[in-house]
Amino acid sequence: MVEGRVCLSKEVRNELELLKRKRLHRIKSETVCGPSGVTNMMSRSGGDALRAPASCGVRLQGNAESFSRSNVASCEKDVFSKRKVDKFYTSDLEWTEKIPECPVYCPTKEEFEDPLVYLQKIAPEASKYGICKIISPLSATVPAGAVLMKEKAGFKFTTRVQPLRLAEWDTDDRVTFFMSGRNYTFRDFEKMANKVFSRRYYSAGCLPATYMEKEFWHEIACGKMDSVEYACDVEGSAFSSSPSDLLGTSKWNLKKLSRLPKSTLRLLETAIPGVTDPMLYIGMLFSIFAWHVEDHYLYSINYHHCGASKTWYGVPGHSALRFEKVVKEHVYTNDVLSVDGEDGAFDVLLGKTTLFPPNILLEHDVPVYKAVQNPGEFVITFPRAYHAGFSHGFNCGEAVNFAIGDWFPLGAVACLRYAHLNRVPLLPHEELLCKEAMLLNSSLELEDLDYSPADLASHHSIKASFVKLISFLHRARWSIMKSRACTSVSPNYHRTVVCTLCKRDCYIAFVNCSCYSHPVCLRHDIKSLDFPCGSHHCLFLRDDVREMEAAAKKFEQDNAISKAVERQAENGDDMYSYPLSNKFQNDVEDGYFPYCEINVDLKPEIATMTSARGQTVEYGHNSLSHNTGNFRPELTDALSSFAASTLCSFVEQVGSSAKNVQGLANLGNTNDKRFCEEVPENTYESSVLCLSREDRPGLNGVLF
């Protein structure tokens, strides 16, 4: 068997030959001798691409057996062959010794008691580096192999094949191929990976990390290995359920992390693999996870169960835009960027397909730090921190996302950037923020609570973000009602809705049409909307909006909060208002002031709207009365039909991807979840409108 090669079927070989003929003009004949370059694969160090470019190649199916040069030499050249990429060529690998180490923390057992308390404590310092390493004071008494082979009977996984070559990152060579490998048990994969390692190094033991780092980058540029296998995004956990396992019974068991009291993701109801539930990553020599940032700029925590080390590279979140600028100008060519401006590289990087050597960053003054992760160690990546890396040999890791209060400002930035790209969000950010803020508001009424400095900093982030959101929505609602853009108002009992136009999530308010099929957020010029079903627009508004506005007003009485909001406004911070038209910015000159009373003056014949719970709510000059005698079931039926049809359409288009289907989550009153996990931009054309479980019991377990 030749290491790392793939047996391709006749149909695949024919398809590759066709691709080869189309790309002959860019295939280079010279011998590759550079130690650095760019490689890419349809892998996600934590999931599939959010949206793969249309021209990134075909998906090949095959078994990871031997690859015959005599039969498919020409196809191999196009798929696996090393090639020289002049723009990244360097003559040596001395730069590997210039990357500083990230912080390493060694908590005591007492400090190790609660992971989120500890991480909240070290975050102000550690986040400056993008990544950090934590050495656990507790050890697992049940090995990961035993857990996966004995506690999880029948556990198997399918690998992905990652070509080890450079890429030009132009129109013809953006992404190498992504293929499904073989189906393995844990032990079978371990034997295969160890065999590859021992054949190459004539050793079964670990080699120095500095040596392996140089070996990896040399292999990418001009080595003889064509590909490796990597089992990423494998659902499950290798933490033991045994009551005698100290690490498994601790709160650092990644299966428990998202439900801890300080976890914002505890508000999500439906489990999402890789986000609220951990996933496994089982690698071999030179398995790769490409440069990426976590979805919605979430935190991630990664535990190394067993096996060879991993090398990590991390860029701090405050340098994310500089990172993207370097990638745009020195990695990608303009013809692969579908978006202009600073979001161009971000758009391509969302695919999680690109790997390039960190010396490119060093040459352009972008800070990058390194970590070598060993068994028993955690690696934390902080919000908006780009990271990448590779394995030194067979290993097994586990990872999950999490969020705490200080995440909300950066989460808002991620939502804004998704809106710029018209991408469906992955988390109901607005709903999470509102629920967390209202819980905080309730807790602040208890005078005997003693908060730590880290807690107070977290509260500050929640309060400031909430005040900005509520202030914007209040002003937008005032403008809509003043202009009489809506002909009716109805209570909003439907969890989170996705805007049809910009894909932003709406929890507090949205506007819909007569057929209830075109929900739109308040960031658009409602009067100019031209729905196919007519010009009547209804404003759906949560009935607890006044309580939320009262909480925001109370938060703003804190001088630190009001100054933070004012400072961000002066800096042109429009995270919650994009893509609101500039005409709303003139509202202050037209009589608007914060938290003013909003009069609802509708035409008499259409000023009554029926709620989905059977109560007619009449709006007029701030009057609100309830009349249960005029129930209109057609409204409930219309909303139910729309939600159900949208779900069916979505499931049909996603197909067998359980991860994507589970990514659409229902948000309950106390536990809630994240939107869709890495859904392609065109997965579903209409927005997702979700009714609460108590409203629509027939839709339990689906959508927000």
Side-chain angles (χ1 to χ4, degrees), residues 4 33 87 198 204 242 374 380 411 450 457 557 567 584 618 649 668:
C33 57
K87 59 185 174 182
S198 61
S242 170
N374 302 302
I380 309 299
D450 183 20
Q557 292 173 357
R567 189 162 52 248
F584 284 3
E618 299 176 353
S649 173

Side-chain angles (χ1 to χ4, degrees), residues 182-364:
R182 286 179 289 184
N183 198 33
Y184 289 95
T185 66
F186 185 77
R187 290 303 182 202
D188 287 342
F189 185 84
E190 181 181 16
K191 291 177 182 177
M192 181 279 296
N194 287 338
K195 195 173 185 180
V196 170
F197 186 92
S198 61
R199 283 180 175 177
R200 180 182 178 105
Y201 295 111
Y202 304 99
S203 171
C206 296
L207 299 175
T210 54
Y211 173 77
M212 295 304 297
E213 185 178 16
K214 289 182 173 66
E215 280 282 286
F216 172 76
W217 291 112
H218 183 270
E219 183 61 53
I220 288 290
C222 56
K224 295 181 179 180
M225 290 182 69
D226 292 313
S227 61
V228 295
E229 293 184 70
Y230 187 34
C232 54
D233 307 329
V234 177
E235 293 189 28
S237 172
F239 283 95
S240 176
S241 301
S242 170
S244 63
D245 190 296
L246 295 179
L247 188 60
T249 56
S250 76
K251 295 177 182 178
W252 288 78
N253 181 334
L254 299 191
K255 292 184 290 187
K256 304 177 182 179
L257 198 74
S258 66
R259 303 303 175 192
L260 295 178
K262 291 184 182 296
S263 169
T264 293
L265 300 186
R266 77 193 185 284
L267 299 174
L268 297 173
E269 185 177 87
T270 304
I272 301 176
V275 180
T276 59
D277 287 356
M279 300 188 89
L280 293 168
Y281 299 86
I282 306 170
M284 61 179 290
L285 179 66
F286 300 153
S287 293
I288 300 165
F289 51 102
W291 286 107
H292 68 287
V293 67
E294 296 301 311
D295 300 325
H296 279 263
Y297 294 163
L298 290 164
Y299 285 84
S300 76
I301 180 170
N302 306 262
Y303 181 70
H304 196 326
H305 282 286
C306 63
S309 304
K310 287 182 182 179
T311 290
W312 291 70
Y313 302 108
V315 174
H318 62 76
S319 296
L321 289 179
R322 290 164 60 192
F323 172 93
E324 292 167 10
K325 186 174 186 290
V326 170
V327 174
K328 177 183 177 181
E329 296 178 355
H330 302 283
V331 176
Y332 301 141
T333 56
N334 288 334
D335 52 5
V336 304
L337 302 176
S338 58
V339 178
D340 294 329
E342 66 179 19
D343 290 322
F346 175 69
D347 186 39
V348 182
L349 284 163
L350 282 175
K352 302 175 183 178
T353 63
T354 306
L355 187 76
F356 56 84
N359 66 319
I360 302 168
L361 303 174
L362 296 176
E363 291 168 2
H364 295 89

